[in-house]
Amino acid sequence: MNQGVAITGMGLISAIGNNVADNFASLISGTTGISKISRIKTVHEHEIMVGEVLLTNGELEKLLGLPADSHSRTPLLGIMAAKEALAQAEIQDISEYRTGLISGTTVGGMDKSEQYFYDFYERDLHWNHINSLHAGDSTQKIADAIGLTKSFVTTISTACSSAANAIMLGARMIKSGELDRVIVGGSDSLSKFTINGFKTLMILSDTYNTPFDEHRKGLNLGEAAAFLILESDAIVSKENKKVLAYVKGYGNANDAYHQTASSENGDGAVMAMEKALKVAGITPSEVDYINAHGTATPNNDLSEGRALLRVFKENVPEFSSTKPFTGHTLAVAAGVEAVYSVLSIQNNVIYPNLNFKTPMTEFNLVPETQLKYKEIKTVLSNSFGFGGNCSTLIFTKEA
């Protein structure tokens, strides 16, 4: 049987909470973080709904003890989540073992770059942020903030599967013996660039998103940061670490079907799920709950639903999408949902697929619509990105 990689810490900030505990409380109470845009001035603020972290950049800097206007929003969110994860894992000396940081993002420091664009002639106002646009800068700022200065630090940007691929790479590096500990996940913030881009794709909803519903209108964008601490068996044994869950399986596939759309029959999703099951050494019948990608776009939910039927046949496990709580957090989606998957295992709970009313006409798949308690040993979590980059993670209670 395949050995899993231990998860010993988690950190999360999203539209439904500034830490893991607050997020879980919102999930259990059915409290959504979706609302009209309040933090960004945009012509679309009355047209769409999003999942915003309500803390301002200034408030985040104050909480983190950072100088004013020193960071773009993406690393600020990332530092919050990474520090929470390190604290839960009780890591005092981050350099004690070979430790890496793998972070996913799509927009990087775009929010500050936008300010620079508007205030171009006031060069001393935001000029220091123009070099912070690229994705790697956000990761480096997170690494600097947690004291990780001489180790493996890298960024993954595979659209909405970025954090899944970060988790996957981290697990593989521990298994191969290249690192002893890896901080994995991602951070993404809302920006006008992102809002305008998705508005152009015509897949944004003007109301609460409704995954797997016949009348779904599109997604709600969200912002978040989520990190998990992965550690080797050697560290867990030596330090008698408490293990929250294990990364048991993972799979990635790129069907290259379309620049933004998923394969009509879920080809990439099927390959990713089958690979993850094979790596985990389990059968489809051993999956207790599926945290679906479930973006509430016409294309994704049809594609993912068909993929689930192809992999699980007539025995599709109970499934739900948690994006009605947080919005679609892009590069961080798999990180957010990895934390939720671990919490599902720890608390033996299946989260409700909020806002669902009418089954899709193409197949008879109905997500779990109520909070449900049952024994959860294995959770499969899907994340699919633009360009057909599909990733699946499997989390288990036991190694």
Side-chain angles (χ1 to χ4, degrees), residues 108-259:
M110 180 60 74
D111 62 317
K112 287 296 183 183
S113 296
E114 289 174 347
Q115 284 182 275
Y116 182 84
F117 173 81
Y118 287 113
D119 301 320
F120 180 78
Y121 291 106
E122 300 177 51
R123 297 186 66 86
D124 60 340
L125 193 60
H126 301 297
W127 70 269
N128 58 309
H129 289 296
I130 196 64
N131 293 325
S132 301
L133 171 61
H134 68 90
D137 182 80
S138 297
T139 304
Q140 190 59 56
K141 281 185 167 63
I142 296 169
D144 292 342
I146 61 176
L148 194 62
T149 56
K150 295 181 180 179
S151 189
F152 181 82
V153 176
T154 195
T155 305
I156 290 181
S157 191
T158 54
C160 306
S161 61
S162 299
N165 290 328
I167 295 168
M168 192 182 313
L169 177 57
R172 292 176 64 188
M173 292 186 78
I174 287 178
K175 282 190 176 183
S176 66
E178 293 183 62
L179 291 172
D180 303 308
R181 173 195 292 143
V182 195
I183 304 154
V184 293
S187 183
D188 250 345
S189 60
L190 286 170
S191 68
K192 290 185 181 182
F193 175 84
T194 310
I195 292 169
N196 292 343
F198 277 83
K199 186 71 175 175
T200 301
L201 290 172
M202 297 184 289
I203 55 174
L204 294 182
S205 177
D206 60 353
T207 185
Y208 298 101
N209 69 88
T210 59
F212 300 104
D213 191 282
E214 172 68 13
H215 305 297
R216 62 199 183 280
K217 299 176 68 175
L219 60 83
N220 302 131
L221 288 171
E223 60 182 354
F227 285 99
L228 298 89
I229 309 297
L230 308 184
E231 298 194 273
S232 67
D233 291 337
I235 294 180
V236 171
S237 177
K238 180 182 177 181
E239 300 194 4
N240 193 28
K241 282 288 189 76
K242 178 183 178 181
V243 177
L244 307 177
Y246 293 87
V247 180
K248 185 76 168 179
Y250 39 77
N252 174 278
N254 195 319
D255 60 17
Y257 173 77
H258 186 271
Q259 283 183 314

Side-chain angles (χ1 to χ4, degrees), residues 70-82:
S70 60
H71 289 61
S72 62
R73 190 167 178 82
T74 295
L76 288 174
L77 296 174
I79 295 167
M80 284 282 288

Side-chain angles (χ1 to χ4, degrees), residues 7-135:
I7 301 169
T8 59
M10 303 189 298
L12 171 61
I13 180 170
S14 77
I16 59 170
N18 297 335
N19 52 54
V20 171
D22 287 350
N23 270 262
F24 186 66
S26 293
L27 290 169
I28 296 303
S29 65
T31 303
T32 182
I34 305 302
S35 64
K36 291 291 185 180
I37 300 172
S38 64
R39 195 182 55 79
I40 299 174
K41 295 303 296 180
T42 166
V43 296
H44 305 304
E45 60 187 299
H46 300 299
E47 299 176 32
I48 62 171
M49 300 181 77
V50 298
E52 291 180 309
V53 172
L54 297 182
L55 292 172
T56 66
N57 284 18
E59 289 169 331
L60 288 165
E61 287 166 338
K62 188 172 292 186
L63 285 170
L64 295 167
L66 294 170
D69 203 35
S70 60
H71 289 61
S72 62
R73 190 167 178 82
T74 295
L76 288 174
L77 296 174
I79 295 167
M80 284 282 288
K83 286 193 170 184
E84 182 188 7
L86 289 166
Q88 184 179 29
E90 298 182 342
I91 295 172
Q92 304 297 325
D93 182 1
I94 201 168
S95 302
E96 185 178 358
Y97 299 98
R98 294 175 301 166
T99 301
L101 169 66
I102 307 173
S103 181
T105 191
T106 61
V107 300
M110 180 60 74
D111 62 317
K112 287 296 183 183
S113 296
E114 289 174 347
Q115 284 182 275
Y116 182 84
F117 173 81
Y118 287 113
D119 301 320
F120 180 78
Y121 291 106
E122 300 177 51
R123 297 186 66 86
D124 60 340
L125 193 60
H126 301 297
W127 70 269
N128 58 309
H129 289 296
I130 196 64
N131 293 325
S132 301
L133 171 61
H134 68 90

